[in-house]
Amino acid sequence: MLYVACEGESTEPDYLDYLNDQFGGGDGQGRQPFRLQPVPRRGGRTPSGIVEAVRKAAGEDGAWALFDRDQWNDIPQAIKVAADSKVEPAFSHPSFDLWLLLHFQAFGGAQSGSSKLVVEKLRQAKGANAFKDYGKGGEKSIKGARREALKEREGKAMAHARSLVASCAQGLCKPGRAKTEPVGHDAEPQSPQDWAARSGHAPECPVLRRDPSTDVWRLLATLGIGGQKPGEGAPAAKEAVSSTSA
């Protein structure tokens, strides 16, 4: 059982339900059954509020917090709270929409917190016809045909996400150093910088400069999705992406 709190009210909870339905039963070949328990959003919630909510809900169980860059100014505080409480942060810059896009194509280029281009690319991506109206009128659910479009693309999305680590402008970030094994509540404390570096980014790389990036791939790796065993070191990315024209 993993508890997952998220910023979105539709997209991320729908995606967690998709993971439960598609992979939660295990595969009989080493990937264990799991259950992701969404922590409902009640009213406005900042990234640090998301971390605190899942900390309280999870107790001694595993806890993850999914939150976006958007224009939040408390993200460094959220990382600090996560490090103190052993909550795994899955930070997406500019937004969770990037993780969806990476199922269909590579992407790169700083977005400065704006998801406009990411959403446009998602609507137009090859194989993503179900997303052609994504976000229009505020409708961003992940159900029906959109779920079907995502199927069997998890490995590709994970590879693209790791590529963004490899191409980070900071220059010292390496996806092969990412950590995917669970950390117990009695483990030695880690600094916010070291905790954020579990994504493969260097401790010296400020979280807000990881643009674009998404750490959602680590949640899937922890669950053994995408051909990776839980706790297994992340393989090095084979490609680096540095332009939005990809």
Side-chain angles (χ1 to χ4, degrees):
M1 174 75 77
L2 291 178
Y3 285 79
V4 185
C6 44
E7 181 180 337
E9 296 184 81
S10 174
T11 311
E12 292 95 324
D14 283 354
Y15 182 74
L16 297 177
D17 286 342
Y18 162 74
L19 293 181
N20 282 330
D21 293 344
Q22 187 71 14
F23 302 102
D27 64 358
Q29 299 179 2
R31 189 179 74 241
Q32 297 300 310
F34 64 82
R35 173 69 187 175
L36 300 177
Q37 180 60 48
V39 177
R41 172 180 174 178
R42 295 184 175 89
R45 186 183 285 172
T46 64
S48 57
I50 292 169
V51 173
E52 183 62 20
V54 76
R55 182 192 68 79
K56 291 180 178 179
E60 294 301 311
D61 289 318
W64 284 73
L66 275 60
F67 52 91
D68 299 343
R69 172 63 182 101
D70 292 330
Q71 299 300 326
W72 294 114
N73 57 18
D74 77 326
I75 290 172
Q77 174 64 16
I79 298 296
K80 182 181 185 305
V81 175
D84 292 342
S85 54
K86 302 298 190 299
V87 172
E88 293 278 9
F91 172 59
S92 295
H93 195 330
S95 67
F96 186 83
D97 301 326
L98 172 63
W99 171 246
L100 299 177
L101 173 61
L102 295 181
H103 286 70
F104 304 99
Q105 66 172 69
F107 184 83
Q111 302 301 302
S112 302
S114 171
S115 296
K116 182 179 179 180
L117 182 59
V118 173
V119 171
E120 289 177 356
K121 291 284 187 179
L122 177 58
R123 291 171 180 167
Q124 300 166 7
K126 183 178 180 180
N129 188 59
F131 288 88
K132 64 182 180 181
D133 295 324
Y134 182 79
K136 294 182 179 180
E139 199 286 307
K140 300 179 74 173
S141 66
I142 306 296
K143 297 179 180 179
R146 290 178 183 169
R147 283 191 175 195
E148 292 299 317
L150 295 175
K151 284 184 179 180
E152 300 183 2
R153 294 178 179 268
E154 290 77 21
K156 178 181 291 187
M158 294 168 75
H160 287 155
R162 292 193 298 265
S163 293
L164 291 177
V165 179
S167 61
C168 181
Q170 200 274 346
L172 296 176
C173 303
K174 298 180 179 179
R177 295 191 310 212
K179 307 295 184 183
T180 60
E181 73 281 1
V183 176
H185 290 275
D186 57 350
E188 290 292 323
Q190 296 187 38
S191 69
Q193 293 77 17
D194 286 340
W195 193 246
R198 288 175 60 77
S199 62
H201 288 275
E204 303 88 349
C205 181
V207 172
L208 296 182
R209 294 186 184 178
R210 301 172 185 179
D211 181 13
S213 67
T214 177
D215 303 333
V216 179
W217 73 270
R218 289 185 55 249
L219 172 60
L220 274 67
T222 296
L223 298 171
I225 299 171
Q228 185 172 333
K229 296 178 181 179
E232 187 177 54
K238 295 182 179 179
E239 59 181 307
V241 184
S242 61
S243 73
T244 56
S245 61

